[in-house]
Amino acid sequence: MSTTTVDPHALPGETGMVEARRGRWLPFSPWHLILMPMALLMLVPLVWMVITSLETLAQTRRFPPVLWPGQLQFQNYPDALGAAPFPRWFWNTAVVTITVVASNLLLCSLAAYAFARMHFLGKKAIYFLLLATLMVPLQVVLVPTFLIVKQLGLINHLGALIVPNLANVFGIFMLTQFFRTLPIELEEAARIDGASRLKILFTIVLPLSAPALATLAVIQFMWTWNDFLWPLVTLYNEPAYTLQLGLQSFQGSHLTEWNLLMAGNVMSMIPMLVLFIVAQRWFIRGIATQGLKG
Amino acid sequence: MGRFRRIMGSDHIAGWAFILPSVVLILLFGLFPIVWGFVLSLQKASLLNPVRPFIGLANYQAIPKDPLTRKAALNTVIYTMMFVPSSIVLALFVASALNRKIRLIRFYRLAVFIPVVASTIATGIMFLWLLDKEFGLANWALGTIGLGPFGFFADPSQALPSLVLMTVWGWLGFDTIVYLAALQGVPQELVEAAAMDGAGRWSTFRHVTLPLLSPATLLLVVWSTISALQLFDEVYFVTKGGPLDSTSVVVYRVFRLAFTSGVPAAGYAAAIAYVLFIVILLFTLAQFWLGNKVVHYQA
Amino acid sequence: MGSVTFDGVSKVYPGAKGSPSTVAVDDLSLEVGDGEFLILVGPSGCGKSTALRMVAGLEKISAGEIRVDGERINDVPPRDRDIAMVFQNYALYPHMTVAKNLAFGLRQRKTPRAEVSARVAAVSSTLGLDELLSRRPGQLSGGQRQRVAMGRALVREPRAFLMDEPLSNLDAKLRVQMRAELKKLHHRLGTTTIYVTHDQVEAMTLGERIAVMNAGLLQQIGVPQDVYDRPANVFVAGFIGSPPMNLLRGTVSGTTVSAGVFSFARPGLADGPITIGIRPETFRPTTEAGTVGPSIDLQVDVVEPLGDEVLVHGTLDARAAQSGAEAEDAVLLAETSTRAPVTVRLAPDSRPAPGDRMPLTADPMAVHLFDASSGDAIR
């Protein structure tokens, strides 16, 4: 069967027929002339950050800017690590993020499975209630949540970041939708064989849900790792800071030491970049399915 | 029959057991604060003092009379009106460009998507440096084509547009992914039929592709508007609301009032937050209502 | 106007690194006369759709020329070819009303509004779409959508129509109805039509001429009855006709052709293997009056009474041959069994029972002979 496309984006002058030849890329498409500058433009802030991180302080204070430092100042990196408790911040953020992601995977799976497959009193009402909380933006609940967390004695504690986020409504919804798409026969067969709901969830449903779980994990990871406002509001001791908060204070105390700042910034971005490159499929799928569900 | 009953009966307990941890957490940290927030908005409150006298609707009445809050509201609206159209239109063109199979397409897509994972702070640091008034790369590059130098974040009239530039860069990947997925869902046969019907490249785009993208467009408009109205991190970190309050936005004002103002303004802050909430809700409903008239969902 | 000529047309898909390229259409040459209704028929993957799409301009032509009204259109973009296409899945614009769908092509060509309305109204009444004009495709049934797809092509009054299996998504009853309507329409308009289908019944009933294709190659082109009566090769013989022609492995020895106990005289053939083809209706029970020819016993397996005829499936004491048009499992079965499965078409009053031995004869003049290696017909 043919695999041709009629390209609606063919440039005038082409005959209007462009083929997606099976397996072969076009030798040199004029689109590269648009896409390459665009891609480079998007990468400029990142690339410039890396270049600056390898310059000396004096080089950063030059105009026109030094585009290539000549001698790469890798020293900036250990200097930045020494100038602020980065390792501590990394650790804090990692602990919070991993705990939150793990907790969400567990709790959201449980709840989503119940909503997707079980019938119980009040199910619709509770589901609707949860939906309602999604509508409300963070700043509305900022102060009250702060007061609650304060009551629990978690201010200045990593627990302040973990406990309120142990179960995310978004995760529950996403998994509920996904579980509903699984063929129910598998679970029914197991039920007739006498398996408990819990067993069915862990031995049948979850293994089949690996893509959805991966997507949830990756998105939750990004949210938690990059979160700024909530840590800002609940953490006040430098050693307790998360990475984003720490970065902000680092910038505040090294305002114009751009080379040092960039080195710190690069280090802070590496975990997310690595995660993205390794798990891009799940990121992209997570975002794309948002759009397709309409 | 007895077994059937047993299975059906136990679902109530099992069901609630499964959802209980999540529901308790969400009720405690999601639903309850919503109610408490409203209560706070009717009080004169400070974060430190547990005594919070009720003052009725005084907080709400103070909002329109407060020049700083009005300015924040205005800035938020201006920012939103700049951010939403530019990020969506740009994303549409970028997604169209990325919707082809040529060599290096994976690199191009990656380059567009990567900024999404950069945190607001990391992005802020990159752009503070890039748009630095004295030593920034931007001013140098613009200078080579005879433009500038610009004050960017340091100039009251340029700070908000500079924020738009920064946030569009950060969100472009997200919008593009949504559009790219939607574009790939346009059936090839329709494009072919349009070609047979005599439609040129632009006509096909306008009459066939674009209408089929309308669900994605609606989603992005709603999502972008909501997130634009809630702008905070970038303002707090990059411009601190300035210069001269030119970038103070509503959530920033709420934060300042509740956490750093030194006066018991937490209730007032809660009131502003609630008004914002209502505005967002109305906006979203209006957009969906309008959207349903215009958007076509494929059968 | 509207004749279409294929002149040595080929379509080659280059393979991915390491794999050979695929030839979808191999040196196709045929002429579609002005106003003719030609059907391209063949199994899936035979290249018929690809050939059609090359005429439309949706596929680039790898070699050869396609001419419409004598002018070469290889490099003319689809929009300028003045050809309309009806797609298998209709490809209606889902966000436009039926009326807008019909009008789209005309509006794209800057046709004045008055004319657009007039033409749309005319086509709409011809196809019975008047009540549907303000509905969207999503609100229509399959049959209605099919008619809108046809209407969209009709309204443009092109030089030629291209139809890519337009009826295959309809249920059987609707299909029969639409076939009749299509035939009537063609009578009225007289526009050149190239129609692609994999259903040989459709081909036989609709086409003025049919072109049978297999694996990218044109097997035979001709009037349906001719193709049926005088298949050019074993493939066409096995493909056209339902139930398919029974094929037996035979041997030529001197002037005798035989397959198992079934043998008859035919001078002028070279000794060696040969393929014998006997249509289901060519077999007659020996008890029937006026039958001539050698006989062979049919071991009856299954009897299918169809009302106006009876189909009897059984086996003969002979080996079966392949046409290349069978389904895979049939091939396997035929290879391994020692008897040839055949189907016989009998008058409704014949009532054999499963397990019976039924003596049959076949008129040797009505038997088809094919070269055992090339598959070509031997006249």
Side-chain angles (χ1 to χ4, degrees):
Chain A
M1 283 271 73
S2 76
T3 54
T4 296
T5 47
V6 167
D7 184 7
H9 314 289
L11 291 179
E14 288 177 44
T15 54
M17 299 171 280
V18 173
E19 290 182 284
R21 297 197 191 132
R22 257 191 278 162
R24 244 233 251 141
W25 305 144
L26 295 174
F28 186 97
S29 165
W31 280 98
H32 288 285
L33 297 175
I34 296 186
L35 289 171
M36 186 57 96
M38 180 192 78
L40 293 179
L41 211 61
M42 287 299 285
L43 293 176
V44 158
L46 295 162
V47 170
W48 186 230
M49 168 182 67
V50 174
I51 292 179
T52 308
S53 74
L54 299 171
E55 293 185 354
T56 66
L57 191 57
Q59 285 172 319
T60 65
R61 292 208 210 281
R62 291 232 209 98
F63 194 82
V66 176
L67 293 180
W68 186 253
Q71 193 178 42
L72 303 175
Q73 304 294 324
F74 290 106
Q75 184 58 28
N76 288 333
Y77 284 83
D79 284 352
L81 276 177
F86 272 104
R88 183 75 217 230
W89 294 337
F90 265 107
W91 174 253
N92 291 342
T93 315
V95 165
V96 170
T97 305
I98 292 177
T99 312
V100 167
V101 169
S103 162
N104 263 278
L105 286 177
L106 178 65
L107 295 183
C108 292
S109 299
L110 284 170
Y113 185 66
F115 284 120
R117 293 298 197 219
M118 301 197 235
H119 295 285
F120 48 93
L121 205 60
K123 170 172 150 179
K124 276 216 170 87
I126 279 279
Y127 197 67
F128 185 71
L129 213 56
L130 293 184
L131 178 68
T133 67
L134 260 189
M135 297 266 89
V136 179
L138 175 61
Q139 66 273 9
V140 169
V141 298
L142 193 64
V143 172
T145 316
F146 174 82
L147 290 171
I148 295 175
V149 164
K150 184 158 176 246
Q151 280 286 56
L152 295 173
L154 292 174
I155 295 294
N156 246 340
H157 210 265
L158 290 183
L161 304 186
I162 295 178
V163 175
N165 292 313
L166 287 171
N168 208 316
V169 188
F170 167 77
I172 296 180
F173 279 158
M174 198 191 113
L175 288 181
T176 307
Q177 310 260 44
F178 185 82
F179 288 162
R180 288 198 178 128
T181 68
L182 296 175
I184 199 170
E185 293 83 30
L186 298 169
E187 301 163 52
E188 284 176 341
R191 284 189 79 195
I192 291 178
D193 283 342
S196 71
R197 286 293 201 178
L198 206 62
K199 191 145 176 242
I200 295 178
L201 175 63
F202 281 99
T203 59
I204 296 178
V205 176
L206 288 186
L208 287 176
S209 309
L213 292 173
T215 305
L216 178 61
V218 141
I219 295 212
Q220 186 66 53
F221 191 101
M222 185 169 83
W223 279 349
T224 313
W225 188 272
N226 287 347
D227 193 13
F228 177 69
L229 175 53
W230 186 243
L232 176 67
V233 154
T234 53
L235 302 176
Y236 295 93
N237 281 349
E238 224 188 46
Y241 281 177
T242 59
L243 199 52
Q244 303 308 324
L245 207 51
L247 208 54
Q248 180 242 0
S249 103
F250 183 60
Q251 192 261 355
S253 50
H254 299 268
L255 266 178
T256 52
E257 297 171 63
W258 293 111
N259 56 336
L260 217 57
L261 278 174
M262 292 305 137
N265 209 14
V266 168
M267 288 192 290
S268 82
M269 281 187 70
I270 286 179
M272 275 312 299
L273 284 177
V274 166
L275 179 69
F276 180 75
I277 291 180
V278 161
Q280 13 172 333
R281 210 173 358 146
W282 312 125
F283 273 107
I284 293 175
R285 182 182 299 209
I287 296 174
T289 50
Q290 288 266 3
L292 289 181
K293 84 165 157 64
Chain B
M1 208 51 207
R3 185 176 190 180
F4 174 87
R5 281 251 176 74
R6 242 191 299 138
I7 292 176
M8 291 315 290
S10 66
D11 251 7
H12 289 286
I13 301 177
W16 274 97
F18 275 43
I19 68 172
L20 205 58
S22 305
V23 167
V24 164
L25 284 164
I26 292 171
L27 286 184
L28 182 58
F29 293 104
L31 206 61
F32 180 52
I34 294 175
V35 176
W36 194 358
F38 184 65
V39 169
L40 270 175
S41 72
L42 303 172
Q43 299 172 320
K44 181 167 171 159
S46 128
L47 293 178
L48 306 166
N49 191 346
V51 175
R52 301 184 187 113
F54 274 90
I55 54 173
L57 293 173
N59 283 329
Y60 288 97
Q61 290 164 335
I63 293 177
K65 302 190 198 124
D66 180 357
L68 284 178
T69 305
R70 285 206 314 268
K71 185 103 209 290
L74 182 66
N75 287 337
T76 309
V77 168
I78 295 177
Y79 170 79
T80 305
M81 295 203 324
M82 286 198 279
F83 174 76
V84 174
S86 42
S87 63
I88 291 182
V89 171
L90 201 58
L92 185 57
F93 280 113
V94 171
S96 299
L98 290 179
N99 189 25
R100 60 203 65 249
K101 286 189 174 66
I102 55 177
R103 214 179 276 158
L104 294 182
I105 197 65
R106 295 178 68 186
F107 163 70
Y108 296 139
R109 289 182 186 171
L110 209 74
V112 172
F113 298 164
I114 274 200
V116 176
V117 300
S119 71
T120 47
I121 305 302
T123 308
I125 292 180
M126 281 190 279
F127 272 79
L128 269 172
W129 175 225
L130 203 64
L131 302 181
D132 186 65
K133 188 168 64 171
E134 286 182 82
F135 305 114
L137 191 68
N139 267 337
W140 168 77
L142 291 169
T144 58
I145 53 173
L147 295 171
F150 293 99
F152 294 116
F153 292 124
D155 182 329
S157 61
Q158 295 172 8
L160 208 54
S162 304
L163 279 181
V164 173
L165 177 67
M166 183 171 79
T167 49
V168 166
W169 179 86
W171 278 102
L172 190 64
F174 177 88
D175 293 1
T176 305
I177 291 177
V178 173
Y179 266 139
L180 194 58
L183 276 173
Q184 289 171 344
V186 172
Q188 191 52 37
E189 260 194 358
L190 282 183
V191 171
E192 289 178 350
M196 300 294 307
D197 271 342
R201 166 176 151 236
W202 172 247
S203 214
T204 307
F205 188 75
R206 201 176 127 218
H207 290 114
V208 179
T209 312
L210 215 51
L212 289 177
L213 290 179
S214 48
T217 305
L218 180 63
L219 182 88
L220 286 176
V221 168
V222 171
W223 181 282
S224 302
T225 307
I226 293 179
S227 73
L229 291 172
Q230 297 178 257
L231 185 70
F232 173 78
D233 289 10
E234 292 85 345
V235 170
Y236 178 87
F237 177 66
V238 176
T239 59
K240 288 264 182 301
L244 304 178
D245 289 324
S246 60
T247 58
S248 171
V249 291
V250 175
V251 180
Y252 182 68
R253 180 99 182 102
V254 167
F255 174 81
R256 290 293 302 270
L257 283 169
F259 291 96
T260 66
S261 67
V263 297
Y268 181 44
I272 299 178
Y274 249 88
V275 171
L276 180 64
F277 169 39
I278 302 294
V279 168
I280 290 181
L281 202 61
L282 290 178
F283 242 107
T284 307
L285 288 175
Q287 280 169 337
F288 271 121
W289 177 81
L290 189 69
N292 272 323
K293 292 197 163 276
V294 171
V295 164
H296 169 82
Y297 293 93
Q298 255 179 297
Chain C
M1 313 140 305
S3 64
V4 178
T5 311
F6 286 82
D7 190 353
V9 173
S10 297
K11 176 70 195 171
V12 180
Y13 290 107
K17 297 187 198 146
S19 23
S21 46
T22 323
V23 180
V25 175
D26 197 345
D27 197 26
L28 177 68
S29 294
L30 65 84
E31 282 255 3
V32 186
D34 183 7
E36 183 177 9
F37 197 113
L38 178 89
I39 302 213
L40 289 177
V41 64
S44 17
C46 70
K48 56 195 191 295
S49 285
T50 312
L52 193 76
R53 288 165 62 88
M54 282 197 278
V55 179
L58 301 173
E59 296 268 1
K60 252 197 175 138
I61 300 169
S62 308
E65 231 178 55
I66 295 184
R67 292 189 287 274
V68 176
D69 286 337
E71 44 165 290
R72 174 194 158 104
I73 56 160
N74 285 32
D75 303 309
V76 177
R79 50 193 298 225
D80 297 326
R81 294 192 183 192
D82 194 22
I83 291 179
M85 181 147 165
V86 181
F87 291 83
Q88 185 174 3
N89 293 313
Y90 317 136
L92 299 179
Y93 307 117
H95 53 290
M96 298 187 197
T97 59
V98 167
K100 283 220 166 77
N101 261 281
L102 294 175
F104 187 70
L106 294 177
R107 301 297 315 282
Q108 288 304 307
R109 286 175 169 73
K110 315 267 194 286
T111 317
R113 277 191 188 268
E115 196 182 328
V116 173
S117 314
R119 291 218 243 173
V120 168
V123 167
S124 166
S125 81
T126 306
L127 292 174
L129 298 171
D130 286 330
E131 293 99 47
L132 307 175
L133 283 176
S134 54
R135 295 210 209 152
R136 294 236 159 91
Q139 301 165 294
L140 303 176
S141 72
Q144 290 168 329
R145 282 187 221 170
Q146 206 280 327
R147 276 184 282 148
V148 176
M150 296 261 350
R152 191 172 59 178
L154 282 175
V155 90
R156 284 187 37 210
E157 292 171 17
R159 297 193 278 187
F161 288 126
L162 304 176
M163 303 196 187
D164 192 354
E165 311 212 38
L167 306 182
S168 59
N169 288 344
L170 301 175
D171 63 61
K173 222 167 158 203
L174 213 46
R175 223 181 297 160
V176 173
Q177 197 185 328
M178 284 308 301
R179 278 209 309 251
E181 286 203 32
L182 267 175
K183 246 186 153 155
K184 274 192 278 182
L185 215 54
H186 182 253
H187 258 150
R188 257 188 53 185
L189 300 174
T191 314
T192 310
T193 306
I194 305 180
Y195 186 105
V196 159
T197 181
H198 64 273
D199 181 349
Q200 52 100 28
V201 173
E202 213 168 80
M204 295 288 285
T205 53
L206 268 181
E208 285 176 5
R209 278 199 304 162
I210 65 179
V212 182
M213 289 184 70
N214 187 35
L217 288 160
L218 177 66
Q219 305 292 311
Q220 184 171 2
I221 181 169
V223 173
Q225 195 60 49
D226 270 354
V227 176
Y228 185 85
D229 289 335
R230 275 178 287 282
N233 59 34
V234 138
F235 176 82
V236 178
F239 186 80
I240 299 285
S242 179
M245 184 189 285
N246 300 298
L247 293 167
L248 306 171
R249 278 192 232 177
T251 334
V252 180
S253 191
T255 54
T256 315
V257 179
S258 56
V261 303
F262 182 80
S263 65
F264 56 93
R266 177 72 68 93
L269 298 169
D271 279 8
I274 197 170
T275 302
I276 301 175
I278 309 177
R279 290 247 181 238
E281 61 272 16
T282 309
F283 278 116
R284 307 249 59 92
T286 47
T287 52
E288 203 178 271
T291 55
V292 305
S295 76
I296 185 167
D297 283 348
L298 175 74
Q299 182 72 36
V300 177
D301 284 337
V302 176
V303 177
E304 288 180 328
L306 292 179
D308 57 340
E309 62 185 14
V310 175
L311 291 181
V312 180
H313 305 278
T315 54
L316 300 176
D317 189 6
R319 297 298 307 275
Q322 306 308 317
S323 69
E326 295 92 348
E328 262 180 58
D329 29 339
V331 174
L332 198 59
L333 201 61
E335 282 297 315
T336 52
S337 61
T338 52
R339 296 174 67 88
V342 297
T343 304
V344 173
R345 182 181 268 138
L346 299 175
D349 51 357
S350 291
R351 296 286 163 81
D356 282 358
R357 280 195 93 82
M358 185 175 196
L360 300 172
T361 89
D363 181 352
M365 299 310 294
V367 164
H368 299 262
L369 295 172
F370 303 95
D371 184 296
S373 46
S374 72
D376 291 335
I378 301 173
R379 299 259 176 258

